[in-house]
Amino acid sequence: DQQVKQNSPSLSVQEGRISILNCDYTNSMFDYFLWYKKYPAEGPTFLISISSIKDKNEDGRFTVFLNKSAKHLSLHIVPSQPGDSAVYFCAASKNAGNNRKLIWGLGTSLAVNP
Amino acid sequence: ETGVTQSPTHLIKTRGQQVTLRCSSQSGHNTVSWYQQALGQGPQFIFQYYREEENGRGNFPPRFSGLQFPNYSSELNVNALELDDSALYLCASSRGDSGNEQFFGPGTRLTVL
């Protein structure tokens, strides 16, 4: 049972435009959400995160929005650059003492075209 | 500040063999988590070590075992390898007291023939 879902396996966007990557979750106990970016042959790189007590977090070109009632979050990249082309993973965690295992979506492959 | 490193980068084994993968955590981090990423999938949590103790385990059989050392580096051992164990194995380190952001190594690509 996939608790974190990224329903779009791929997305193609023109350079300079906005990229919107979506993520849905089913477990209402999740209280922290993260986005990671992964290039081939490398480990995931942390991008941005958001706590469930917030609905928006912004870091430069990256903004994450959280809609708790819809159990939905999205990552906006503005403006998109060719170097943003990678696989983007949404991950979620819930507080269990010091154990914060991450539950991951399947990823969305973003291609930013020059 | 050094990042998370993993060794080896690639490994080929045959069914039934045993393998040990190694991970050095980022400076200042005392928690290490191991994940298995099969092709086309997101990473799946194997287990986590915090201050040398196992601190949570995912849905993996006992032939997957681990260890964390006093310097917080870690090993993942897999016994009786099966073909389905072929995957990218990722190690992530974090600070146990605020371990929301986990920082990943480049992974070890294991192929079981």
Side-chain angles (χ1 to χ4, degrees):
Chain A
D1 179 32
Q2 197 74 22
Q3 296 185 64
V4 177
K5 300 176 186 177
Q6 293 177 257
N7 291 320
S8 298
S10 62
L11 176 67
S12 183
V13 170
Q14 281 300 116
E15 181 178 5
R17 298 287 185 105
I18 184 171
S19 295
I20 300 176
L21 297 108
N22 293 303
C23 178
D24 297 291
Y25 62 96
T26 57
N27 191 336
S28 58
M29 298 297 291
F30 289 142
D31 62 356
Y32 206 82
F33 304 89
L34 307 93
W35 284 94
Y36 282 82
K37 172 171 138 176
K38 188 177 186 299
Y39 293 116
E42 293 184 13
T45 303
F46 169 73
L47 264 180
I48 192 168
S49 61
I50 187 166
S51 164
S52 60
I53 62 173
K54 296 187 174 182
D55 55 19
K56 178 182 174 181
N57 189 25
E58 192 171 354
D59 183 3
R61 297 186 297 115
F62 302 91
T63 303
V64 56
F65 295 91
L66 175 63
N67 182 334
K68 280 176 59 180
S69 60
K71 295 193 178 69
H72 176 84
L73 62 153
S74 60
L75 173 68
H76 292 210
I77 307 174
V78 182
S80 301
Q81 299 173 354
D84 296 329
S85 298
V87 178
Y88 288 77
F89 288 97
C90 169
S93 71
K94 56 184 177 181
N95 189 8
N98 281 313
N99 175 7
R100 271 199 172 270
K101 69 177 183 181
L102 297 179
I103 308 297
W104 299 70
L106 296 183
T108 296
S109 178
L110 173 66
V112 179
N113 305 307
Chain B
E1 182 181 86
T2 53
V4 179
T5 60
Q6 291 186 244
S7 63
T9 53
H10 296 86
L11 201 51
I12 299 175
K13 291 283 189 178
T14 55
R15 268 190 313 177
Q17 284 189 309
Q18 179 266 342
V19 69
T20 297
L21 310 182
R22 294 179 175 83
C23 171
S24 292
S25 59
Q26 186 165 312
S27 176
H29 288 181
N30 56 13
T31 300
V32 171
S33 304
W34 285 92
Y35 294 84
Q36 180 196 66
Q37 186 180 15
L39 206 60
Q41 302 291 316
Q44 298 290 316
F45 176 74
I46 302 175
F47 43 56
Q48 182 181 84
Y49 279 83
Y50 171 65
R51 293 184 175 175
E52 302 178 59
E53 299 283 334
E54 187 178 290
N55 188 41
R57 188 179 182 92
N59 191 24
F60 280 81
R63 59 190 185 83
F64 285 77
S65 63
L67 204 57
Q68 187 178 32
F69 299 99
N71 66 354
Y72 303 127
S73 65
S74 178
E75 285 182 356
L76 163 65
N77 298 292
V78 187
N79 293 323
L81 284 167
E82 301 177 359
L83 296 180
D84 284 350
D85 296 333
S86 296
L88 180 68
Y89 288 84
L90 294 162
C91 166
S93 76
S94 56
R95 285 196 187 92
D97 57 352
S98 61
N100 287 318
E101 283 84 28
Q102 298 183 6
F103 296 86
F104 284 80
T108 294
R109 172 71 62 187
L110 173 64
T111 302
V112 182
L113 302 176

